[in-house]
Each structure stands twice: as structure tokens, then as C-alpha cells.
Amino acid sequence: MNEQSAPDIDDSKAPLIEHLIELRQRLVWAVVALVIAFAVSFYFADEIFGLLVVPLTDAFPPGEGKLVFTKLYEAFFVEIKVAMFAAFFLAFPIISNQLWAFVAPGLYANEKKAFLPFIFATPLLFTAGAALAYYIVMPTAFRFFLGFEGEVGGLTQEALPAMGDYLDLVMRFILAFGVCFQLPVLLLLLNRAGLVTRQQLIGLRRYMVVAAFVLAAILTPPDVVSQFLLGLPLIMLYEVSLAIMWFTERKRAKLEETSE
């Protein structure tokens, strides 16, 4: 008899229409959470944008920083984008909970146990990547960019970043680092599914080093500093993934020996 039998899986064998109704309900709750989060974020949009501006403020000499908007409606749409950006992060726990509640009943007990670490690791790794971008990468990159201020041909060269362009740059940094920090989750899932092995990934190490910096060049602004600050953590995360795979294989081997 199959080991993954009835006791390991939820008893519900609802027809397709019931699954579609449940999916609609889950989506409604996710959208409601997103709308509420957007309303709250829009109310505090100035404060949130103020936090996003801190790396640029610190990069300028004290009292010299300035943000401009060149279109009359730009400042308003910046607040809309800030609210949408913040709303996604506020609503993400509820959205992911609704997704898990829909998927979990169709999983066996051992599959649920295998997926749970990845579910908790995903937001933690994203937060770690976003924190690295906010506290280290953006201040370093902005100081590098502002280093081009000065006299050029007898004229003053001054940085006057526009609000919309700055927000786009900040979101690009945060999303790029947050998403790229999901690399261990992706590799470990592929390994758990049997699509790749640790030995195969070790053989691809030299290519992954090149791929890490190519990806960093695509996702970050065209400066060496930010590309290096993304490429290097990607290589480290790749090595961490290999170490976790080695530890998992060793633990599995010991369990098999004891079971024999």
C-alpha cells in the first residue's frame, strides 16, 4: 500500500467548482488586505517616502540635499507609487497565508513539513536583501554618484534628482536585492525536487560566478560599485546553498544508516 495514504492528506476531495469558489474567496481576502494596506500606506505616504529618502539625505553634505519634481502631478503620483509599494509588503503575510491555506489541503503531511521552512525563509531572505540595499548599497552608490558634482569647464555641475526618478531607483534596488536573495530557496527547492544535485551545482560554480555579475549588471544601475555589492552576495548565497545541501545529504545518510 502507498505510504502516502489517506491519513497523511486532508479528507476533502471537493469537486472542481468548490475549489474555484474557495480560490475566489482567497483572492477576495487577498485583494481586501491589499486595498486596506494601500489606504493605510497612502495616509502615511509622506513618512514612508521620508524613510526611503534617508540614504540620499545622508549621501549629501548636511543641509545641501534637494529633491525636485519637474511635472505638476509628479509628487502626487510618487505618493501613489510609495503607497502601492508599501501596501504589498504590509499585505504580503495575509496574501501568503491565503495562498498557503488554499494549497495546503492538497499536500501530504511530509510535503507540508518540507515546504514550511521555505515559506518562512522567503520573507526573511527578502528582508535581508532589502536591508542590505537600504543600509549599505544605496548610501555607497549615492555617494559615488554625488561625487561627480563640482566644477566642469567653469560651470557648476549639481545633482538635482527628481522625485519620480529617485523612487524608481530605490524600488529597483530593494526589489533587485530582495528577489536575488531568494537564490537559496530556489536552489534548495530544485534540489529537493530532484531536478539538480549538489555535484551538478558544484560543477557549474565557475559559470554561476559569471552569471551572478551579469545579473547584477542587469538589475542594478550601470556602476561598478552596486554591481559588485549585488554580485558578491549572490556568490556567497550560492555557496551557502551548497553547504545546506551537503548538511542535508549527510543528515539523510545518517538516518538511513540508523534505520537499517
Side-chain angles (χ1 to χ4, degrees):
M1 185 176 180
N2 193 342
E3 294 180 358
Q4 295 178 331
S5 54
D8 290 332
I9 194 169
D10 289 357
D11 294 332
S12 60
K13 294 184 178 179
L16 177 60
I17 188 64
E18 293 187 19
H19 287 300
L20 292 176
I21 292 173
E22 183 186 0
L23 177 60
R24 184 188 63 181
Q25 293 173 340
R26 301 294 181 189
L27 290 175
V28 167
W29 281 113
V31 171
V32 168
L34 192 61
V35 170
I36 294 174
F38 175 80
V40 174
S41 300
F42 186 73
Y43 183 80
F44 294 102
D46 286 339
E47 290 78 4
I48 298 171
F49 189 58
L51 292 175
L52 296 177
V53 169
V54 169
L56 181 62
T57 304
D58 294 340
F60 274 108
E64 295 186 14
K66 184 185 294 185
L67 274 176
V68 301
F69 57 94
T70 57
K71 304 179 183 68
L72 291 177
Y73 53 81
E74 185 175 1
F76 171 73
F77 279 103
V78 163
E79 291 196 355
I80 294 290
K81 292 171 70 174
V82 167
M84 291 178 63
F85 189 61
F88 174 77
F89 293 105
L90 288 177
F92 180 78
I94 297 176
I95 295 173
S96 60
N97 179 265
Q98 292 299 314
L99 178 62
W100 175 252
F102 178 74
V103 173
L107 299 177
Y108 291 101
N110 60 339
E111 291 173 338
K112 292 180 184 179
K113 186 177 179 180
F115 271 106
L116 277 176
F118 297 107
I119 293 174
F120 287 109
T122 297
L124 292 177
L125 287 172
F126 188 96
T127 303
L132 176 64
Y134 182 83
Y135 289 107
I136 297 178
V137 179
M138 287 194 290
T140 304
F142 294 161
R143 283 192 292 267
F144 173 78
F145 295 147
L146 293 176
F148 292 96
E149 287 189 314
E151 296 289 332
V152 178
L155 299 176
T156 300
Q157 186 169 274
E158 184 180 5
L160 293 173
M163 295 176 64
D165 293 338
Y166 175 74
L167 179 61
D168 290 341
L169 184 61
V170 168
M171 291 192 299
R172 183 176 175 182
F173 267 118
I174 292 176
L175 291 175
F177 277 78
V179 172
C180 286
F181 266 56
Q182 303 302 313
L183 180 64
V185 174
L186 175 62
L187 293 179
L188 291 172
L189 278 174
L190 292 175
N191 178 256
R192 182 67 64 89
L195 298 177
V196 295
T197 64
R198 186 172 65 91
Q199 293 301 323
Q200 289 174 330
L201 292 176
I202 292 174
L204 294 172
R205 180 182 279 136
R206 67 182 70 180
Y207 303 105
M208 291 302 299
V209 171
V210 176
F213 285 101
V214 170
L215 184 63
I218 295 173
L219 296 178
T220 60
D223 66 285
V224 177
V225 176
S226 55
Q227 292 171 10
F228 179 79
L229 290 175
L230 178 57
L232 186 60
L234 280 176
I235 296 171
M236 295 174 61
L237 290 170
Y238 189 79
E239 295 298 329
V240 168
S241 302
L242 293 177
I244 295 174
M245 290 178 193
W246 174 83
F247 178 79
T248 304
E249 291 174 359
R250 187 178 179 184
K251 184 178 179 180
R252 188 183 300 119
K254 287 184 177 180
L255 290 175
E256 290 176 355
E257 289 178 1
T258 55
S259 62
E260 292 177 356

